[in-house]
Amino acid sequence: MHFLHRRESGHPWVSVIALTFSIFIVNTSEFVPIGILPDIAESFSLTSGEAGQMITIYAWLVVCLSLPLTALTMKVERRKLLLGLFLLFILFQSVGAWSPSFPALILSRTGAAFVHSLFFSLAIPLVVSMAPEGKRTKALSYAASGTALASVLGMPAGTLIGHYWGWHSVFGAIAVLALVNLLVLARSLPAMAGDDSRIASSMKKMERNRSLLMVYAILFLGVSGYYTFYSYVVDFLQNGAMISRGWVPFILMLAGIGGVCSSLLFPALYRCSPRYCLYADIIVLTGVLFLMDIPFSETAALRIAGVCGLVMVFTVFQLILQSRIFILASGYADLANSLFSSVFNVGIGMGALAGGRLLNGGADVDRLGFAGAFFAAAALASEWAVLRFADRGNLQADLQKKGGKDD
């Protein structure tokens, strides 16, 4: 499904890669406060739970603004809209780099959330439209990798920058990367007219697709569980095992490398059992979150291993669900992926809020893994229901359909 009227570009893959990098940058901007949260809290004399509210505010603003802004701008010329959004994004990241107070930082994050809320409903269809004929699924997989790599590489890299040059410099670095990417997009993207003629019919198809709706339910629960714990991962690493803050960026980078490795192994794992791969992954995700709460996890080595394992398992979780989106939403995967981003943000907001409330209520940071495991267990129950009660023949055919093929 395309909502765009495309004018040919001489270098379509340059545009696809630039759009993928823009997805990486915007998502990195969302995730990076997790790694520098204690530094932000300390600089403004806040607790981590209080500072963590900006993660929830950002995520839920994205959700609330996404559909209204998408509807209002559907007929606006796509290239101008994207470039204008990126200019605003650079402006708000610059405000973050300057922020002298927590309200100023919240203003910066609010503006970035405004851009984010419209960006993904725009970027995914652009990726699809720019892909060469017969390479749409490959292009969509590139776009999905931009999101996955932001959490496993972008956030740790930002944490490392923040450790050596201060948290303000992280937002400055994102602004510089966005400016470079803006120049590439300006050179490579052709003009494209907007078109809202098929949105209504595609939305109706999505509403009737029960398997797709279950994907969103499982996504929300799994992301909520992960971010209940991971939003405060820096405090977890420093608590109990006495890991110094100077080592935290390197530990997160190590976890990110593990996430990249699991993403490389994902195609082989998924081909082995597309039907049960998600079920097995959620079992492991639930188990790892639960283990974060038990006494033997207080040693530094076990905490580091736990965080690395958690990132690897969650990376696979994201990729499995994105693969299901491509398969189950054949014909309107671009819109389905835009909704994927919204649901993901609802989960981030819920997880950060739940973890922050627990910390502000006096709970130890170690208890967050146990709380996250409850969300993950609910996701596991949902996937069990899908496998147990869905039309087994049709579901099996859907998950194996087009396996390894492009459209």
Side-chain angles (χ1 to χ4, degrees):
M1 178 192 70
H2 299 273
F3 298 144
L4 310 172
H5 295 308
R6 170 183 167 187
R7 298 180 188 176
E8 292 298 324
S9 170
H11 306 284
W13 282 115
V14 174
S15 298
V16 170
I17 297 301
L19 286 166
T20 298
F21 191 58
S22 69
I23 291 170
F24 169 80
I25 292 172
V26 173
N27 273 313
T28 295
S29 170
E30 178 178 21
F31 298 144
V32 78
I34 293 171
I36 56 177
L37 194 62
D39 300 304
I40 292 173
E42 183 179 333
S43 66
F44 297 129
S45 301
L46 302 170
T47 66
S48 291
E50 291 168 341
Q53 293 175 12
M54 69 178 178
I55 300 173
T56 299
I57 291 171
Y58 184 106
W60 286 0
L61 276 174
V62 170
V63 175
C64 293
L65 294 174
S66 183
L67 286 179
L69 290 178
T70 298
L72 287 172
T73 59
M74 190 56 66
K75 293 186 178 181
V76 178
E77 198 272 312
R78 304 285 93 180
R79 180 178 180 274
K80 289 181 180 179
L81 181 58
L82 181 69
L83 298 182
L85 282 175
F86 245 68
L87 282 172
L88 284 175
F89 181 78
I90 293 167
L91 171 64
F92 288 120
Q93 296 305 311
S94 300
V95 172
W98 160 79
S99 300
S101 64
F102 192 62
L105 181 59
I106 291 294
L107 174 65
S108 164
R109 302 303 294 163
T110 299
F114 171 87
V115 173
H116 190 144
S117 64
L118 184 55
F119 174 78
F120 277 91
S121 62
L122 176 64
I124 300 298
L126 277 170
V127 168
V128 173
S129 182
M130 291 307 306
E133 198 68 33
K135 298 295 183 181
R136 178 184 173 192
T137 301
K138 183 177 182 180
L140 279 170
S141 70
Y142 283 2
S145 71
T147 298
L149 290 175
S151 61
V152 300
L153 280 183
M155 191 272 281
T159 305
L160 191 64
I161 292 171
H163 174 68
Y164 284 104
W165 292 286
W167 65 263
H168 290 86
S169 65
V170 179
F171 296 108
I174 292 173
V176 171
L177 287 176
L179 178 60
V180 173
N181 196 62
L182 173 66
L183 298 176
V184 177
L185 288 170
R187 291 291 300 271
S188 63
L189 278 181
M192 298 183 189
D195 179 13
D196 61 354
S197 61
R198 297 182 63 185
I199 289 184
S201 62
S202 297
M203 288 296 293
K204 289 180 180 178
K205 290 179 182 178
M206 290 176 63
E207 291 171 2
R208 293 194 297 265
N209 191 332
R210 288 181 297 177
S211 296
L212 184 63
L213 296 178
M214 285 303 298
V215 167
Y216 293 133
I218 293 167
L219 174 69
F220 165 72
L221 292 168
V223 172
S224 296
Y226 178 78
Y227 280 99
T228 295
F229 170 80
Y230 203 73
S231 296
Y232 307 95
V233 66
V234 176
D235 287 332
F236 172 80
L237 288 171
Q238 295 176 178
N239 185 57
M242 303 300 292
I243 298 173
S244 68
R245 186 172 297 184
W247 282 103
V248 169
F250 298 100
I251 294 169
L252 294 180
M253 189 65 71
L254 178 64
I257 293 171
V260 172
C261 292
S262 65
S263 70
L264 295 175
L265 293 172
F266 165 73
L269 294 172
Y270 190 70
R271 280 194 299 268
C272 290
S273 181
R275 182 177 173 83
Y276 292 105
C277 189
L278 180 61
Y279 191 66
D281 185 79
I282 301 176
I283 289 175
V284 178
L285 177 64
T286 305
V288 173
L289 283 168
F290 180 78
L291 288 173
M292 297 296 187
D293 190 45
I294 62 179
F296 75 76
S297 68
E298 291 183 2
T299 64
L302 286 173
R303 287 190 176 225
I304 293 169
V307 169
C308 291
L310 185 65
V311 170
M312 293 175 70
V313 173
F314 186 72
T315 300
V316 174
F317 175 81
Q318 294 179 72
L319 293 172
I320 294 172
L321 290 178
Q322 286 174 327
S323 297
R324 283 198 179 181
I325 291 287
F326 298 151
I327 294 169
L328 297 174
S330 178
Y332 49 95
D334 40 10
L335 184 60
N337 272 282
S338 295
L339 186 55
F340 184 99
S341 175
S342 293
V343 175
F344 199 101
N345 275 280
V346 175
I348 292 174
M350 178 58 73
L353 178 64
R357 287 290 180 89
L358 288 170
L359 291 179
N360 289 336
D364 191 274
V365 70
D366 292 354
R367 304 289 86 83
L368 299 185
F370 190 69
F374 274 102
F375 282 108
L380 181 62
S382 299
E383 175 64 4
W384 176 84
V386 169
L387 297 176
R388 177 67 177 82
F389 298 111
D391 185 330
R392 301 176 70 89
N394 288 342
L395 182 61
Q396 182 72 10
D398 280 342
L399 295 181
Q400 292 182 340
K401 180 175 61 175
K402 294 199 247 181
K405 298 179 182 179
D406 216 327
D407 59 350

